[in-house]
Amino acid sequence: MSSESDKRAAAQAAAALVEDGMKVGLGTGSTAGYLIAGLGERMAEGGLSGARFVATSFGTELLAREWRLPLRQLNDADIDGALDIAIDGADEIGPGWELVKGGGGALLGEKIVFSAAERVVIIADGSKRVARVGERAPIPLEVVPAARLTVSAKLESLGFDVTLRAAERKSGPVVTDHGNLLLDIRTTEPIDAVALERDLCAIPGVVECGIVVDVATDVIVAEDGAVTHSTQPGE
Ligand code: 5RP
C-alpha cells in the first residue's frame, strides 16, 4: 500500500466521525485534503445537514470551497469560538501523542483551531510514527519578521540548527497566512516536548511553535491498508 492510500484510508475513517450539525475544524496538508474530499462527497450526496467548517489555512479554505463545504470563522456567531471536532494530519507522532505540526506552514491556524475543539483527531499514514519527536521532521516556528535574527540567535545559543523556510516558486522566504516567517529548527539531542513547547513559545517574537502536546484525543493511523483508531481514555 502506498502512503497515499493509507493517508486516504485514515482520512476516510475520520470523516465518518463527522455528523449532521457538527462544527468541524479542517486541517491542512495532503492527508487533510483527503478528509475534505470525503466530507465534500458526503455533502454532495445530501449528507451532513447543518454541518459547518472552519479552515486552518488559506489553502484549506480554497479546497473546502471547491468541495462546497459551508465555511465559517471561529468568531462567527454560529461557531462562537467552539468546535465539536477538529481533524488534521501531522508531520510526526511521538509515543505519547506529542506531535510535530507545521510542515505545511499552517501551525498557527492549526493550533488555534485545536484550542477551540472538544475532540482533536490526528490522521496519518504509518510513516508519521516516530520514537521521539524531532527525529526526522524539523520543528517549525512562526516568527514575526522583525524578530527573525533575534529569535535565530537565541535558538542557535540553545543548540539548534536554524533554517529560514524559503519559498519554492518565489524568491525569498515563505510568508505565512498571518504575514510572518517560518524558522525550521533541528537538534540531534533528545527533546522534552512539554518543556520545549513552553520554552520556544516564550521567546519574544515567536508567535507559535510546531510542537503540540496533550491535545490529541484520537489518533487514526493507516499502515499497509490496516486502519488503527486509538482514543484517549474517557473519549
Ligand atoms: C500543515 C501540517 C500538516 O498536517 C503536516 O505537514 C502533514 O501534512 P501531510 O498530510 O501532507 O503529510 O502540519 O501545517
Side-chain angles (χ1 to χ4, degrees):
M1 284 281 178
S2 73
S3 68
E4 290 309 306
S5 54
D6 282 337
K7 286 179 186 181
R8 188 184 300 110
Q12 281 170 347
L17 301 174
V18 178
E19 297 171 4
D20 291 356
M22 277 189 169
K23 300 185 285 180
V24 183
L26 299 172
T28 295
S30 55
T31 318
Y34 292 121
L35 168 80
I36 293 163
L39 295 169
E41 283 165 4
R42 282 180 65 191
M43 282 224 123
E45 289 160 3
L48 296 180
S49 152
R52 304 76 104 191
F53 301 87
V54 174
T56 49
S57 66
F58 186 51
T60 289
E61 181 186 324
L62 292 181
L63 187 59
R65 286 195 192 289
E66 280 178 30
W67 283 101
R68 299 181 186 280
L69 296 180
L71 283 173
R72 300 284 189 277
Q73 306 283 335
L74 278 178
N75 290 330
D76 283 341
D78 64 347
I79 297 292
D80 199 22
L83 299 169
D84 297 295
I85 189 168
I87 306 172
D88 198 357
D91 299 302
E92 289 186 340
I93 305 171
W97 293 8
E98 56 282 22
L99 312 172
V100 175
K101 294 280 308 151
L107 63 156
L108 179 55
E110 291 166 343
K111 288 182 80 168
I112 292 170
V113 162
F114 289 174
S115 75
E118 195 172 317
R119 192 172 182 188
V120 174
V121 181
I122 300 301
I123 49 177
D125 67 278
S127 72
K128 302 297 180 61
R129 283 198 188 281
V130 293
R132 70 167 185 87
V133 286
E135 187 179 283
R136 290 200 297 264
I139 298 165
L141 279 77
E142 180 151 349
V143 173
V144 296
R148 173 174 65 85
L149 291 181
T150 54
V151 173
S152 294
K154 177 69 179 169
L155 293 166
E156 282 166 357
S157 78
L158 293 171
F160 291 100
D161 289 331
V162 184
T163 308
L164 175 66
R165 196 179 297 184
E168 276 180 19
R169 299 198 60 207
K170 154 190 173 289
S171 71
V174 168
V175 178
T176 70
D177 292 354
H178 308 275
N180 297 312
L181 303 176
L182 293 170
L183 297 177
D184 288 313
I185 65 171
R186 291 183 178 275
T187 177
T188 51
E189 300 296 318
I191 285 171
D192 174 341
V194 174
L196 189 60
E197 183 190 29
R198 183 194 60 221
D199 294 348
L200 292 175
C201 288
I203 300 172
V206 173
V207 180
E208 193 49 88
C209 85
I211 294 180
V212 179
V213 283
D214 290 336
V215 168
T217 58
D218 302 55
V219 171
I220 302 178
V221 175
E223 195 149 24
D224 297 329
V227 177
T228 308
H229 182 170
S230 312
T231 54
Q232 291 278 26
E235 294 301 324

